[in-house]
Amino acid sequence: MERAVSYAVPLGQMEVFQALQRLHMTIFSQSVSPCGKFLAAGNNYGQIAIFSLSAALSSEAKEESKKPVVTFQAHDGPVYSMVSTDRHLLSAGDGEVKAWLWAEILKKGCKELWRRQPPYRTSLEVPEINALLLVPKENSLILAGGDCQLHTMDLETGAFTRALRGHTDYIHCLALRERSPEVLSGGEDGAVRLWDLRTAKEVQTIEVYKHEECSRPHNGRWIGCLATDSDWMVCGGGPALTLWHLRSSTPTTIFPMRAPQKHVTFYQDLVLTAAGNSCRVDVFTNLGYRAFSLSF
């Protein structure tokens, strides 16, 4: 009988590999846990890291508090988008969505519960799913990405019920205005589009790159991240990361960040987190000032 042979990687080589991996890391997605104490971040290697926000924001926080409490391999390719329900963490990559139990993740037991794939035009088409959005009143999930459409999935049955069309290029991000109810979508075409869920119609378009204070032509016009608390919106990508007043379609604050941003999140109305082309998640405790960074 042949024996299995294992090879130990020298410590120095492993440290070099990990350093190179962090150097080339992009954080594509984030989601806050149902309890509000943890932040999940997904990267281009298919990994999801869980950070303790309560520990990192504590007055007694140490550098170790800004490291993941658990990291696991979720997808073969990049984790482009994530969202949390009251029990589950949903993550999406190339062409499919997966579900994980938060309770099991925090116990460091990460088993996939289920996976779903939207209806594509051909069986050979596997566009990335760049954005996930929960619509609690409908008990539905909206998915958007490389096929330029917004797909709605019934979370109870797993069936896909409608598709919204209007973007002329890849969709990168989604956000929900619950009071309206409207969905905001941003994409490669440089536009943030507002959709009325009652009529399934587009009701407003903001072409961010056409505003001089936001425009960064050398980075392009694409919108890579988007968040809203109903009256306000934060978006960025090619254009600078900017806070907007939605009713007046007016940019009010430009954040001093050079690199294009891939994800942005409001947290308890006070904290804004932004992530992009690095292994770090920047945390803002007031608008315009970066307090600290979480790191893979």
Side-chain angles (χ1 to χ4, degrees):
M1 180 183 294
E2 294 184 1
R3 287 186 176 181
V5 180
S6 61
Y7 297 92
V9 179
L11 182 60
Q13 289 185 22
M14 179 60 70
E15 290 175 345
V16 169
F17 172 76
Q18 291 174 343
L20 287 172
Q21 192 179 52
R22 287 194 297 271
L23 181 64
H24 296 285
M25 186 178 293
T26 296
I27 297 174
F28 283 112
S29 54
Q30 299 176 34
S31 183
V32 177
S33 65
C35 65
K37 296 180 180 179
F38 298 92
L39 176 73
N43 67 22
N44 55 318
Y45 300 116
Q47 300 168 332
I48 293 177
I50 309 297
F51 298 92
S52 172
L53 285 175
S54 55
L57 290 168
S58 167
S59 59
E60 300 177 356
K62 300 178 181 179
E63 281 305 307
E64 197 62 28
S65 305
K66 301 166 189 174
K67 297 290 185 182
V69 295
V70 62
T71 302
F72 64 97
Q73 192 71 35
H75 294 262
D76 294 331
V79 184
Y80 290 117
S81 52
M82 289 191 295
V83 72
S84 291
T85 70
D86 56 352
R87 296 181 60 222
H88 302 112
L89 174 65
L90 307 179
S91 63
D94 289 322
E96 64 182 9
V97 183
K98 294 184 179 182
W100 318 82
L101 268 176
W102 265 108
E104 296 302 318
I105 293 173
L106 297 176
K107 293 177 184 176
K108 302 186 180 181
C110 306
K111 294 182 179 180
E112 173 191 325
L113 289 179
W114 52 256
R115 63 177 70 189
R116 298 286 186 275
Q117 186 178 69
Y120 297 122
R121 286 170 292 190
T122 71
S123 59
L124 298 177
E125 186 181 22
V126 189
E128 70 273 17
I129 298 173
N130 294 323
L132 298 174
L133 180 68
L134 290 173
V135 184
K137 290 182 180 179
E138 293 186 351
N139 193 29
S140 65
L141 176 71
I142 298 179
L143 307 79
D147 67 348
C148 312
Q149 301 179 62
L150 284 73
H151 298 275
T152 300
M153 186 185 87
D154 186 308
L155 282 172
E156 185 174 347
T157 66
F160 288 89
T161 58
R162 69 185 171 204
L164 303 177
R165 301 175 179 88
H167 279 279
T168 58
D169 212 332
Y170 286 18
I171 300 169
H172 290 300
C173 45
L174 299 169
L176 178 67
R177 295 182 74 191
E178 293 189 51
R179 298 176 192 171
S180 301
E182 292 174 345
V183 169
L184 288 75
S185 59
E188 196 72 18
D189 56 9
V192 173
R193 301 179 188 274
L194 281 74
W195 308 83
D196 189 324
L197 292 178
R198 293 163 295 190
T199 63
K201 301 288 186 182
E202 182 179 342
V203 295
Q204 185 179 356
T205 302
I206 302 173
E207 294 178 298
V208 177
Y209 65 95
K210 290 186 177 180
H211 292 255
E212 186 176 353
E213 58 268 56
C214 308
S215 178
R216 296 190 297 189
H218 58 286
N219 287 331
R221 62 172 64 179
W222 56 280
I223 301 300
C225 61
L226 180 64
T228 181
D229 69 349
S230 287
D231 289 333
W232 298 90
M233 171 183 77
V234 176
C235 68
L241 188 70
T242 307
L243 180 69
W244 290 72
H245 185 247
L246 277 174
R247 291 184 183 178
S248 61
S249 298
T250 304
T252 62
T253 303
I254 311 295
F255 293 94
M257 305 180 74
R258 293 183 181 180
Q261 299 304 303
K262 296 290 195 305
H263 196 88
V264 65
T265 308
F266 282 108
Y267 175 63
Q268 295 184 351
D269 296 328
L270 294 174
V271 178
L272 179 75
T273 64
N277 296 322
S278 77
C279 62
R280 298 182 181 277
V281 178
D282 295 324
V283 179
F284 294 80
T285 51
N286 64 61
L287 300 180
Y289 172 71
R290 180 173 58 203
F292 59 86
S293 297
L294 306 172
S295 180
F296 265 78

